[in-house]
Amino acid sequence: MKLSGLLHRTHHELPGATGVARVDRRSGDLLRRLGPGDIAVLDHVDLDRRTAEALVAAGVVGVVNASPSISGRFPNLGPELLVEAGVPLVDAVGTAVLREVKDGAKVRLHEGGVFVGDKEVARGVEQTAESVADAVVEAKAGMAAQLEAFSANTIEFLRRERTLLLDGVGVPELFLPIRDRQVLVVCGGPRHAEELRALRRYIREHRPVLFGVEAGADTLHAAGYAPDVIVGDPDGIGTETLRAGSEVVVPAQVDGHAPGLERIQDLGIGAVTFPASGNAEDLALLLAESHGASLVVTVGLRAGLREFLDRGNAGSTPSTFLTRLKLGEKLVDGHAVAALHRSGVSTGVVVLLVLAAVVAMTAALAVSGVGQVYVDVVVDAFRSAVEWVKGLSG
């Protein structure tokens, strides 16, 4: 009994990260099965930001990649995000790991080794903040080739989806009136929940139409908002969120297949499909623009050069680029909106300050016995001030 207890303690005191292995060569299929405490075993060259975000959101305690997470073609963002989140990443262990590690097995990661029980079944490089930074610097040399490929893919995408981008053909109808209203699109990017909190005042004052894109829809619901429109694969969205949404739009592939549509049907929730090759974020923006939104504010979206090149599906990069071109001046980043609201003083506060000053002045004049004529002058000045403030807020 004592020996058994000693062995039990020794097993749990072994160094490294221990969890249940979830194994799949295809990252998309694997992400649907992950849960807290799992170790993801995948084969994903140039781990992109969206996949890394989904891994962190799932609560994995480690990631094993059969391929290099940074191949050197371009400075992708996924490994950096995992390391910043404290998730161990064992990199470039070879494809044999997909056979050696069985789905559901208990595995341990330590100093680049992948262990099943006491046996090391694979070995790679455990990435650190320093190693990722060095790899990103080296990878910047590959950006020229990526830009050439991006240009070619953009032309091909425009040829294939020109009727959608130019004429809005294929954009589904929505019951919710959007024309001439502001739209807030919340996506599941880094720190998107924090960005949403910074926009509470904007939401309260302008009451925009709320679009939740996949994880962003859950964030909206968790923050106490009911999403007006939910866009994305329903398999990655919580049931309560789906039930709270007014309308659900499910992206469909070119052949008409819409992943997650069966779940929507099982829940008895109405939904429309949006056949297009773009990602869910781009489709949400196209929905807002096609239905006449006056302004589209985004949360959790990044559109820098690295973000354009860092896509899990290379074909979606032109979609992202061309969608933003189509929206043009209507598209505003949530950071800018939050900064403007922080720097300004609300109309209500200004009016209260003016009113307080008028009351104090009126009381002083009345007490001093200066006369009613002066009180009338102050009241007139107050009315003028209110009109001036209204002009500023308008």
Side-chain angles (χ1 to χ4, degrees), residues 85 127 166 220 256 259 295-296 331 384:
Q127 297 286 4
L166 299 178
L220 272 171
L295 188 74
V296 180
L331 193 63
S384 299

Side-chain angles (χ1 to χ4, degrees), residues 2 16 23 27 40 59 81 85 90 117 132 154 165 189 197 200 202 216 264 275 325 382-383 385 393:
K2 292 182 180 179
V23 186
S27 301
L81 194 149
V90 180
V132 169
T154 300
L165 288 168
R197 285 194 296 271
R200 284 178 296 186
Y202 161 75
I264 284 288
L325 281 182
F382 168 67
R383 289 172 179 165
S393 63

Side-chain angles (χ1 to χ4, degrees), residues 49-378:
R49 174 181 62 84
R50 288 172 59 87
T51 301
E53 289 169 357
L55 290 167
V56 173
V60 299
V61 296
V63 176
V64 178
N65 195 351
S67 296
S69 295
I70 305 179
S71 70
R73 294 183 302 161
F74 63 97
N76 53 302
L77 304 173
E80 181 180 341
L81 194 149
L82 285 176
V83 171
E84 285 182 353
V87 178
L89 170 62
V90 180
D91 210 19
V93 301
T95 56
V97 73
L98 301 170
R99 299 189 301 272
E100 293 291 334
V101 177
K102 303 301 180 183
D103 196 87
K106 193 168 187 178
V107 298
R108 180 171 62 91
L109 312 181
H110 179 58
E111 295 182 344
V114 181
F115 298 86
V116 177
D118 296 329
K119 180 183 177 182
E120 182 180 295
V121 296
R123 175 160 287 275
V125 177
E126 183 166 348
Q127 297 286 4
T128 64
E130 292 75 18
S131 65
V132 169
D134 291 342
V136 166
V137 170
E138 294 177 6
K140 287 182 179 179
M143 290 183 70
Q146 283 297 108
L147 284 172
E148 291 180 7
F150 169 74
S151 300
N153 289 337
T154 300
I155 294 172
E156 171 59 23
F157 181 85
L158 185 58
R159 184 193 63 79
R160 187 174 64 249
E161 298 280 13
R162 61 182 180 275
T163 56
L164 168 64
L165 288 168
L166 299 178
D167 304 317
V169 175
V171 176
E173 291 296 325
L174 297 175
F175 293 106
L176 186 72
I178 294 177
R179 183 162 300 280
D180 297 328
R181 296 181 63 187
Q182 297 186 23
V183 172
L184 178 65
V185 178
V186 181
C187 306
R191 295 179 289 279
H192 68 286
E194 178 182 334
E195 290 181 36
L196 180 62
R197 285 194 296 271
L199 289 170
R200 284 178 296 186
R201 180 175 161 190
Y202 161 75
I203 296 172
R204 184 173 62 252
E205 291 185 4
H206 295 273
R207 299 192 177 279
V209 179
L210 301 177
F211 276 45
V213 181
E214 297 184 340
D218 285 323
T219 303
L220 272 171
H221 186 251
Y225 302 109
D228 295 306
V229 181
I230 295 174
V231 183
D233 183 351
D235 285 339
I237 304 171
T239 300
E240 293 304 316
T241 301
L242 290 170
R243 294 188 188 279
S246 298
E247 300 188 59
V248 179
V249 179
V250 181
Q253 299 170 4
V254 178
D255 60 5
H257 175 64
L261 193 58
E262 291 182 1
R263 178 168 180 241
I264 284 288
Q265 294 169 345
D266 291 341
L267 292 173
I269 299 172
V272 296
T273 58
F274 192 161
S277 54
N279 57 51
E281 298 169 354
D282 301 334
L283 300 189
L285 296 180
L286 286 173
L287 272 170
E289 196 279 335
S290 297
H291 287 281
S294 61
L295 188 74
V296 180
V297 179
T298 63
V299 169
L301 278 180
R302 296 290 178 269
L305 181 59
R306 285 182 69 185
E307 283 78 13
F308 275 124
L309 298 179
D310 177 55
R311 311 297 292 187
N313 174 11
S316 70
T317 305
S319 165
T320 299
F321 176 67
L322 292 170
T323 297
R324 281 153 180 74
L325 281 182
K326 182 173 178 61
L327 269 75
E329 69 278 0
K330 287 185 179 181
L331 193 63
V332 181
D333 186 82
H335 277 298
V337 174
L340 288 172
H341 274 262
R342 282 196 303 269
S343 62
V345 180
S346 70
T347 301
V349 171
V350 174
V351 171
L352 286 175
L353 289 173
V354 174
L355 178 59
V358 170
V359 169
M361 291 173 63
T362 304
L365 288 171
V367 170
S368 65
V370 173
Q372 182 63 38
V373 63
Y374 291 97
V375 175
D376 292 339
V377 169
V378 174

Side-chain angles (χ1 to χ4, degrees), residues 20-42:
V20 176
R22 300 299 176 196
V23 186
D24 203 308
R25 186 182 297 273
R26 295 175 296 277
S27 301
D29 294 339
L30 177 62
L31 291 174
R32 294 187 178 92
R33 300 191 292 114
L34 289 172
D38 288 343
I39 290 180
V41 182
L42 44 74

